[in-house]
Amino acid sequence: MDKHPGVAAGPAALHVLEVVGNAIVGGMETWVERFIERMPPQRVRFTVLCPAECAFARRLRGLGMEVLIVPMADDPSWSSIQMATALVQSAGVDLLHAHLPRAHALAGIVGRLTSRPVLATVHGRQPTVLDLEVHRAVHSHLSVVCRPSYYSALGLGVSPELLSCETNGVDTQMFRPQRPAASALRGSLGLAPSTVLVGFIGRLSPEKGPDVFLRMAMLLQGRRPDARCVVVGDGPMQAELARLAAQLGLRQTHFLGLRDDMPTLYNELDVVVSSSHSEAMPLALMEAMACGLPLVATRVGGVPDLIEHGETGWLAGPGDFNDLAGRCAALVADEALRRRMGARGRARAVEHFDLQACVDRVGRLMLRLAGSRGEPALPAQVAEVSATA
């Protein structure tokens, strides 16, 4: 269904080709979907390239987007280059916007062939080697999502004129405190209504440290037998984590798999933990904070810009499952502390990380890169991001 019924994109609307790389279920896809959904069609209209048919592509079509399937690789095939080039030329695309390195490689080549500007959003902690190679070859503009990523890119030789920082945002209306009268999740797990739930939400892959979370859960199980832990997500470590949970004797940890009811699920939890070894600006933490939950997270990437240590949650060293367990135990034991930290986190999310502000910043950047829309240049990017810290 058209998200903006009765409103057609005018002839002056910027036409952006979103080139979305080899998709996994995660924050990148969610960001792209919400960005497209929020951008006014009078200002920007979108066409999307995806590497394969998937639920993400179907959801975008449900928003009224034209979605085309084009294989993407580190070395893009001629057929992919030819198809994307013909699309850009025939459809009057003004700018290519890439997500993930393989998409950046395809967009970079096509942008050079068609003389269109290329914007690549780097959702991870730092640009990959492929991102840097493409950037240096075609002078694409890199947009990163947190301050550490900005300085990392500068340190890798990215020109400040071709680099900006547009901090991630969260939909604070979709994700908001709304505690259910009765907990369906606790009922489904056979738990008492008063059971405190500590959650991990993310892809089950090494960089996210789900094994660290399980080791934390083992310690928490000994310290707070009245608490339970839940793991939300799937990924390549799923079988390994099931074996580790059995080895650790985790009787109080439940694997929930992927969920499509996250705004509701966050409100079933009491504490959210991020045990990552590497992050940029994790969407799961932003969503949990917007839902009024206290956070316990490792001090990596842009996470310290999200969490005010001791105010909206606590930070621990990467891999330090003992500290994570201690912080979680303190929150499990003190409902008033959970409520106080959660309320402060909600206020911080609304003030500094609202999605519409993020959409507006990226929209202005696109218009500036397109070069003919009469939009003012963005303010100094690092100063803008510093205001959120």
Side-chain angles (χ1 to χ4, degrees):
M1 183 178 67
D2 190 342
K3 187 66 179 177
H4 306 276
V7 179
L14 188 74
H15 189 181
V16 174
L17 180 63
E18 293 284 337
V19 187
V20 183
N22 293 48
I24 58 173
V25 175
M28 179 275 291
E29 288 182 330
T30 301
W31 187 94
V32 172
E33 185 176 349
R34 290 177 186 160
F35 174 69
I36 289 174
E37 193 175 24
R38 283 292 191 103
M39 183 59 68
Q42 306 96 322
R43 188 179 182 192
V44 180
R45 63 189 179 99
F46 295 96
T47 302
V48 185
L49 294 186
C50 288
E53 284 291 352
C54 56
F56 172 65
R58 292 191 292 273
R59 290 197 303 272
L60 291 179
R61 290 191 183 104
L63 294 176
M65 298 299 107
E66 180 181 11
V67 180
L68 303 174
I69 305 304
V70 178
M72 299 178 198
D74 289 357
D75 297 311
S77 68
W78 171 244
S79 62
S80 294
I81 295 169
Q82 184 182 45
M83 179 177 175
T85 299
L87 172 64
V88 167
Q89 292 174 328
S90 65
V93 168
D94 298 300
L95 177 139
L96 295 91
H97 185 197
H99 306 269
L100 300 185
R102 290 181 174 182
H104 190 188
L106 178 61
I109 293 170
V110 173
R112 174 57 65 92
L113 290 173
T114 59
S115 299
R116 298 316 199 269
V118 176
L119 167 63
T121 294
V122 178
H123 295 270
R125 170 65 179 81
Q126 62 185 27
T128 66
V129 171
L130 182 55
D131 281 315
L132 292 171
E133 289 176 344
V134 176
H135 164 75
R136 289 166 182 164
V138 306
H139 304 293
S140 53
H141 186 100
L142 299 186
S143 171
V144 297
V145 298
C146 66
R147 289 189 297 173
S149 298
Y150 181 90
Y151 290 113
S152 176
L154 282 180
L156 291 169
V158 177
S159 168
E161 290 75 25
L162 295 173
L163 177 66
S164 58
C165 182
E166 282 72 46
T167 312
N168 274 350
V170 61
D171 187 335
T172 56
Q173 292 304 307
M174 177 184 294
F175 294 92
R176 57 191 176 91
Q178 200 171 15
R179 303 293 288 187
S183 173
L185 177 58
R186 287 168 178 78
S188 69
L189 297 175
L191 304 177
S194 60
T195 304
V196 178
L197 291 179
V198 177
F200 170 99
I201 295 136
R203 183 166 165 77
L204 306 185
S205 54
E207 74 279 3
K208 298 292 185 180
D211 53 324
V212 176
F213 179 81
L214 292 186
R215 296 182 189 283
M216 183 283 299
M218 175 189 68
L219 296 179
L220 184 63
Q221 179 175 281
R223 299 175 190 181
R224 298 296 312 189
D226 52 333
R228 294 292 186 273
C229 293
V230 296
V231 177
V232 182
D234 68 3
M237 292 182 68
Q238 189 164 354
E240 174 187 341
L241 293 170
R243 290 192 295 270
L244 178 60
Q247 292 169 8
L248 296 175
L250 293 181
R251 302 176 303 279
Q252 299 177 192
T253 299
H254 308 270
F255 291 85
L256 304 184
L258 280 177
R259 300 283 294 236
D260 58 7
D261 60 341
M262 290 309 300
T264 299
L265 186 64
Y266 281 115
N267 280 291
E268 296 261 21
L269 303 179
D270 298 288
V271 180
V272 166
V273 175
S274 172
S275 50
S276 292
H277 299 289
S278 177
E279 283 288 0
M281 204 63 132
L283 189 59
L285 286 185
M286 300 179 85
E287 292 172 346
M289 187 165 67
C291 287
L293 294 175
L295 308 176
V296 179
T298 46
R299 190 182 291 104
V300 295
V303 173
D305 282 346
L306 280 175
I307 298 173
E308 290 183 296
H309 184 70
E311 295 295 322
T312 65
W314 279 305
L315 297 166
D320 192 345
F321 53 86
N322 185 59
D323 194 11
L324 292 173
R327 301 297 189 180
C328 287
L331 286 167
V332 169
D334 192 337
E335 182 179 359
L337 178 62
R338 295 198 303 271
R339 291 184 181 277
R340 186 166 63 251
M341 283 188 161
R344 289 172 179 166
R346 166 68 184 177
R348 182 168 171 77
V350 170
E351 182 177 359
H352 295 297
F353 302 110
D354 185 71
L355 176 62
Q356 192 58 53
C358 169
V359 169
D360 290 343
R361 286 194 300 270
V362 177
R364 292 197 303 271
L365 175 60
M366 287 178 163
L367 291 165
R368 178 165 69 85
L369 293 176
S372 61
R373 303 287 161 170
E375 287 287 321
L378 290 177
Q381 297 300 322
V382 177
E384 182 174 311
V385 175
S386 297
T388 69

